[in-house]
Amino acid sequence: MQNKRKSLWGQVFVRLKKNRMALVGLAILFALLLTALFANVIAPFPYDEQDLFATLHGPSLQHWFGTDEFGRDIFSRIIFGSRISLQVGFVAVGFSVAVGGFLGAVAGYYGGKIDNVIMRVMDVLLSIPQLLLAISVAASLGPGLLNLMLAVGIAAIPQYARLVRASVLSIRDQEFVEAAISVGSGDLRIIFKHILPNCLAPIIVQATLGVAFAILIAAGLSFIGLGLEPPTPEWGAMLSGGREFIRDYPYMTLFPGLAIMITILGLNFLGDGLRDALDPKLRN
């Protein structure tokens, strides 16, 4: 069973390598991770260092992306901002996958009243647009990194609950689950050891795409003042701060916007590639 599973993941890796767009997305993600890890080394200036004699200077050899109204180096702030965006994206999605996946697995495995109660609650949450739900949670919790991650994560829980429930419903009646029940395995052991590992493919794809959407939502919350407080560098907050200077100093919004666009584009490329690589119809 383990060798078969390894061979299947090996086939997935081979198919993923053949997808150029997926490799581009993987390279962008890898570059962003390195940038976030070594931001202190890469950034030429501290993100909060002010130079009041160099305010609103355009891109130059000294300040590659120019400076803002406080004389802070925009390139350095974007570098450090990658830490915030990736942290929010991965932590928020990890939280929503853990909570939503558990709720979906319980609903799909037990069915009946438990399924009805859990999924009706998820349906109510799904009736609210994800961005509006995140705004409501963020407004209730207040600004801050932890609250931002919770707001983004809570808003995405229903999607993963429905995804995992659908996968569990197609798996719970298969023979290996019945065999585990016949030897006396407990429900939690069956769910976590036998059912959820066989639901990984759709979860991985949705989580990869979900990280991109989480970064976008986090940027949107920061843009309207519900994210991180200054002077913490966050791409959405940088966009918000530069919008009043957009006519005379467009670079203040151009570069943070490009950072968001490239990050989301790379994650979408990777997510689409993973979806194609994990598609059972493509397996030989």
Side-chain angles (χ1 to χ4, degrees):
M1 180 71 178
Q2 291 182 352
N3 290 334
K4 182 178 179 181
R5 184 174 297 175
K6 289 180 180 178
S7 64
L8 289 176
W9 285 107
Q11 294 175 18
V12 168
F13 182 70
V14 170
R15 285 197 294 270
L16 186 64
K17 289 196 300 182
K18 296 179 179 179
N19 190 321
R20 294 183 179 179
M21 290 295 98
L23 293 180
V24 170
L26 187 62
I28 291 174
L29 179 59
F30 184 68
L32 285 169
L33 290 173
L34 289 179
T35 299
L37 288 173
F38 299 103
N40 291 325
V41 178
I42 298 173
F45 300 94
Y47 69 83
D48 56 352
E49 181 179 298
Q50 299 183 15
D51 183 0
L52 298 181
F53 295 100
T55 59
L56 299 174
H57 282 194
S60 63
L61 292 177
Q62 183 179 6
H63 300 285
W64 291 0
F65 292 174
T67 60
D68 62 12
E69 69 273 27
F70 298 107
R72 297 174 299 194
D73 183 67
I74 294 177
F75 176 72
S76 299
R77 290 180 61 77
I78 289 177
I79 294 297
F80 281 99
S82 64
R83 286 183 173 180
I84 304 296
S85 294
L86 291 178
Q87 186 176 353
V88 171
F90 284 107
V91 173
V93 169
F95 172 77
S96 56
V97 167
V99 177
F102 177 75
L103 292 174
V106 170
Y109 182 76
Y110 289 105
K113 293 182 179 180
I114 295 177
D115 182 23
N116 285 331
V117 171
I118 293 176
M119 297 317 298
R120 295 301 76 76
V121 173
M122 295 299 106
D123 287 341
V124 171
L125 294 177
L126 279 172
S127 67
I128 306 172
Q130 191 170 342
L131 180 57
L132 292 181
L133 181 58
I135 290 174
S136 302
V137 176
S140 301
L141 297 176
L145 179 60
L146 178 60
N147 292 341
L148 180 63
M149 292 187 292
L150 282 174
V152 177
I154 290 172
I157 286 175
Q159 294 183 355
Y160 295 98
R162 291 186 67 87
L163 176 66
V164 173
R165 174 183 177 272
S167 299
V168 171
L169 288 175
S170 65
I171 293 174
R172 68 177 183 179
D173 295 328
Q174 294 190 14
E175 293 180 354
F176 66 90
V177 177
E178 295 178 357
I181 295 174
S182 66
V183 298
S185 297
D187 290 343
L188 289 179
R189 181 180 176 84
I190 293 172
I191 290 173
F192 285 102
K193 186 175 181 180
H194 299 286
I195 294 180
L196 286 180
N198 288 280
C199 303
L200 283 179
I203 293 175
I204 290 173
V205 174
Q206 183 61 37
T208 304
L209 298 171
V211 171
F213 196 56
I215 291 174
L216 185 60
I217 289 182
L221 292 176
S222 295
F223 185 83
I224 61 176
L226 294 176
L228 300 178
E229 296 180 334
T232 305
E234 201 282 330
W235 294 340
M238 293 175 68
L239 279 175
S240 179
R243 59 181 171 175
E244 60 181 290
F245 304 98
I246 193 170
R247 290 183 179 273
D248 299 320
Y249 309 100
Y251 63 87
M252 290 183 62
T253 54
L254 173 64
F255 293 115
L258 285 175
I260 296 173
M261 184 192 73
I262 292 172
T263 300
I264 294 175
L265 188 65
L267 287 167
N268 284 336
F269 281 162
L270 180 58
D272 290 341
L274 285 172
R275 181 183 58 198
D276 294 340
L278 291 167
D279 189 347
K281 297 179 182 177
L282 300 178
R283 293 177 183 171
N284 296 324

